[in-house]
Structures are given as C-alpha cells and as structure tokens.
Amino acid sequence: MAQVKLLGFWYSPFTHRVEWALKMKGVEYEYIEEDRHNKSSLLLESNPIHKKTPVLIHNGKPICESMFIVEYIDETFKGPSILPKDPYDRALAHFWAKFLEDKSTVAIDILLHLGEEQEKAKEEVYEMLKVLDNELKDKNFFVAENFGFADIAANLMGFWLGIFLEVSGVTDLVTSEKIPNFCAWRDEYVNCSQVKDYLPPRKDELLVYFQLARARIEAAASAKK
Amino acid sequence: MAQVKLLGFWYSPFTHRVEWALKMKGVEYEYIEEDRHNKSSLLLESNPIHKKTPVLIHNGKPICESMFIVEYIDETFKGPSILPKDPYDRALAHFWAKFLEDKSTVAIDILLHLGEEQEKAKEEVYEMLKVLDNELKDKNFFVAENFGFADIAANLMGFWLGIFLEVSGVTDLVTSEKIPNFCAWRDEYVNCSQVKDYLPPRKDELLVYFQLARARIEAAASAKK
C-alpha cells in the first residue's frame, strides 16, 4: 500500500494545492480520482464530517481541508519550506490564505449561476479583487519576498478564475483599467517558475471540462423557461 | 509603550480566546476596550481588511483573527504549548478549530433573531451540535488527551452558547436527552481547571450584557409591528 494517497478531483483548485505541495517536497504519492456523483467509501470514511475532497491519507491516517493538508505536508516532509519560519510572517500567511479561502467559493458562483445571481457573484468577487489589488501593489508574493503558503492558496484567483470567466463569457470584471495591480500580479504569478512548473499542464482540458459544465448549466436553465 | 496590546470587546468569545492564550503563557499586556459604534483609528489601521476585533499588537505589528493570534502567541512566547507538536495532531487541532469557527456565527444568530429566523438558526446549531456530540463521545478534549488549541476555539460552544440560550429563552436545544455527549463534555469543560481558571469571572455581568442586548432586539421588533 502506498504510504501517501491523495483523493481528489483533477479539475479542482483545492486538490491542486495539495498536489503542488507534494510535488514541491518531492513526495511520491498515489492519486485517486473521486467521482463527484458516487463518492468512494474511502472518502466518506476519511472525511465523515464534510465528505469533501481533497483528503490526504498518510500511513493510514486521513487529513482534510486543502490548506491544513499543505501545512501538514510542510511539517512532515523535507524540502523547501512552504510556511515562513518567523511567527509574524506565519500569521500573515495564515491571514491571507484564509481570506483567499473564504472568498473563493464566490468565484465559482460566476461559473455556476446565470443572470441576476451571476451579477451578484461578480460584484462580490470584484469587492475581493479590489482588496487584493490594493494589497498586491508592487508585490509578487503575499508575504515578504518569498513564494509560499498564501501563494498556493491564491491558485483559484490567479489561475482558475480566468478559466471561469472565459467559459462564462465575462469580460468586464478583471481588466487592467479597473484592477491594474491584481492583473500585473496574476501575469507574474502564472509565469514565475515557482508557479508555472506546478500548474496543471492541461489548460485545454480544464477549459473543455468547465465549458461543458457551463453548457450543461445553460441548457438546464433554457429547459426551465 | 506596552510591547503587547490587545484591542477587543470584553464580552466577546473571540477576544476571550486571545486573553486566555496570553494568560496561559503569562504574557503581560495592555487591554484596550473598543467601542463597537465608534471603532478606534488604531483598530481601523491595524485591521484594514476586516475592521474587526480582536487585534493583537506586538512590538508595533498587528496580528488579526482570534485563532491566528492564539497560534502566534503559542509560537512567540514561552510557557505551556497550545498547539500539539505532532503534525497529525496539529492538523486535527486546526480542523476542529476551523469547524468550531465556521459554525460559531450561527450560535450568535439565536441571540440576534426572533421567530422564524431564530428557528432556522436553532436548526443549524443543532446540526452542528450533533456532529460535536458524536465526536465528543468519551472525550474531554478535541485532540488526544491534552487541552489545547481546539478547546480554546470551543469557548463559544462550551460557555457563551449557554448564555445566548438563557437570555433568548431557548430551553429545548441543548438537553442531555438529545445530545448527551455534548452536555457531558460541556459540564466537564466549564469545570476543568484548564478552562475554569480562564473563563470570564463575571458570568453575571455577561448575562446582564446579553440580556440587555436581547431586550433591545425584542423592543425594536415590537416597535415595528
């Protein structure tokens, strides 16, 4: 039995965070793709409270919630540090990771909703982007000069959000006129080696996956009319 | 200037978590009571994103969000450990602290709302209490055998919830028939030395404060009718 197993969805930014940390640390692991509509008994037993991916199983013990898994990987395996060592910088990294985590579901709502509900999600995402735009003035990383924990939590905003906007036909939300610092940060983010080397090598596949998801949502809404 | 300042509300479980950690570690600090209706410029400058208490200021640097502050205090000051050392137990402590944190606002809704909205809040709190009831079977603490991080996060459920229910006249939610393990845990919690010594020594004052808050809410609702 593999010592390290990861249960996840290949298209999920949350699963991606864990894979990213495992790859950064050079940890060998067995990846198990879950079925959203028929979750495995291993997943349900491993995360009985939330029944959600990702779950890391290490030596038979389950760890849940993407950023807690990333922290566990950082503390357990050798390799480059993900969380800063300094307690103040650690508190900042936790703060920004939580901010990005708490607001991230709203970005997904842009993909999942139409009409008024989508407009509401766009407004909420824009409020968040303005905060990030202010924070990322002259900054490439969230904490100090180093890539780390909060930057991994930022993958939904730095990479997935662009795909959600593209497949949803939303072109007026993220523009360099409105949020120049965020746009500059995002361009740096997806192109810097600490990120680029670990992003899914299948942007085309992700696009197709979310295009199909969006098409199903639009078709279901049309059928209701 | 004091090296450690805490900005908070004396009646808040979130502020209490930070005071608890500071007292456990024997840290001297200056406590500054904030005014909810007229927040100080120090608070607004120290937590510009959320504008919320508690904020700890250590050597002029602000740290925000109660459980991140507790973690910062644990890492910065000598004294008894709050988070476990073992990475797996740390992940469990983070998991339960987040669960307690994410669900805690619903408990406050029982105090803040009336009628249907209060019933909805009661239902949500009951769903959470059932999860805790299952988890706390034969357990005094959330992680392993030791009092720690998640138990500090549990202060809203272990102590404040009882006050909210009392002043709101809700007697049918937390009963030992419905959730025996939670009730047994709560009785142990408020009486064990690790908790009792740090709980607010002014249960009467807290009761009066929340009774007045509840009376204002009920009066405002009556005036609208």
Side-chain angles (χ1 to χ4, degrees), chain B:
Chain B
M1 195 178 93
Q3 277 203 323
V4 178
K5 290 183 187 196
L6 172 61
L7 315 183
F9 298 124
W10 69 269
Y11 49 82
S12 153
F14 310 106
T15 296
H16 173 253
R17 290 172 186 166
V18 178
E19 292 210 84
W20 193 347
L22 288 168
K23 285 175 185 166
M24 272 180 76
K25 295 280 190 177
V27 179
E28 284 191 30
Y29 63 98
E30 178 189 352
Y31 176 75
I32 301 169
E33 180 70 17
E34 283 289 330
D35 176 353
R36 189 174 289 277
H37 305 292
N38 185 22
K39 289 175 182 172
S40 71
S41 54
L42 184 60
L43 173 59
L44 300 176
E45 282 159 22
S46 302
N47 190 357
I49 309 290
H50 301 301
K51 303 179 178 67
K52 282 183 183 168
T53 62
V55 173
L56 190 83
I57 302 177
H58 183 209
N59 293 327
K61 288 168 156 181
I63 304 114
C64 305
E65 308 239 3
S66 65
M67 294 314 293
F68 297 150
I69 303 174
V70 170
E71 189 157 349
Y72 175 84
I73 291 168
D74 192 33
E75 287 168 351
T76 303
F77 300 103
K78 287 178 186 166
S81 287
I82 297 173
L83 265 163
K85 294 291 168 215
D86 174 73
Y88 185 72
D89 285 346
R90 288 169 73 88
L92 282 184
H94 280 133
F95 177 88
W96 283 110
K98 183 172 190 293
F99 179 84
L100 289 156
E101 187 80 1
D102 287 351
K103 311 286 182 182
S104 58
T105 46
V106 188
I108 300 170
D109 285 348
I110 292 180
L111 176 82
L112 298 179
H113 293 302
L114 301 159
E116 255 183 56
E117 279 183 271
Q118 193 193 50
E119 286 304 315
K120 206 177 146 237
K122 279 171 63 180
E123 276 168 34
E124 280 187 57
V125 170
Y126 186 60
E127 287 308 307
M128 181 206 195
L129 289 172
K130 280 198 293 185
V131 174
L132 295 181
D133 191 62
N134 187 51
E135 182 61 25
L136 293 165
K137 223 178 286 169
D138 311 317
K139 268 173 95 170
N140 286 341
F141 304 117
F142 275 90
V143 180
E145 300 299 310
N146 300 310
F147 173 85
F149 193 72
D151 306 290
I152 288 180
N155 69 348
L156 205 159
M157 286 321 223
F159 185 69
W160 266 262
L161 176 65
I163 298 174
F164 296 164
L165 296 177
E166 188 173 337
V167 305
S168 309
V170 173
T171 54
D172 57 344
L173 192 66
V174 179
T175 69
S176 51
E177 288 76 35
K178 280 154 83 175
I179 39 173
N181 303 315
F182 175 82
C183 289
W185 165 82
R186 189 195 50 181
D187 294 345
E188 279 284 331
Y189 181 81
V190 293
N191 286 308
C192 77
S193 65
Q194 295 100 325
V195 179
K196 199 181 179 181
D197 297 351
Y198 299 100
L199 280 179
R202 40 192 174 187
K203 199 184 164 189
D204 291 345
E205 286 172 46
L206 272 178
L207 255 181
V208 169
Y209 175 82
F210 286 113
Q211 267 162 351
L212 284 172
R214 180 72 187 172
R216 276 196 299 273
I217 291 161
E218 289 175 358
S222 283
K224 267 192 198 165
K225 275 181 189 164

Side-chain angles (χ1 to χ4, degrees), chain A residues 12-25:
Chain A
S12 156
F14 309 106
T15 296
H16 174 252
R17 291 173 185 165
V18 178
E19 292 210 85
W20 194 345
L22 289 168
K23 285 175 186 165
M24 274 179 75
K25 296 281 190 176

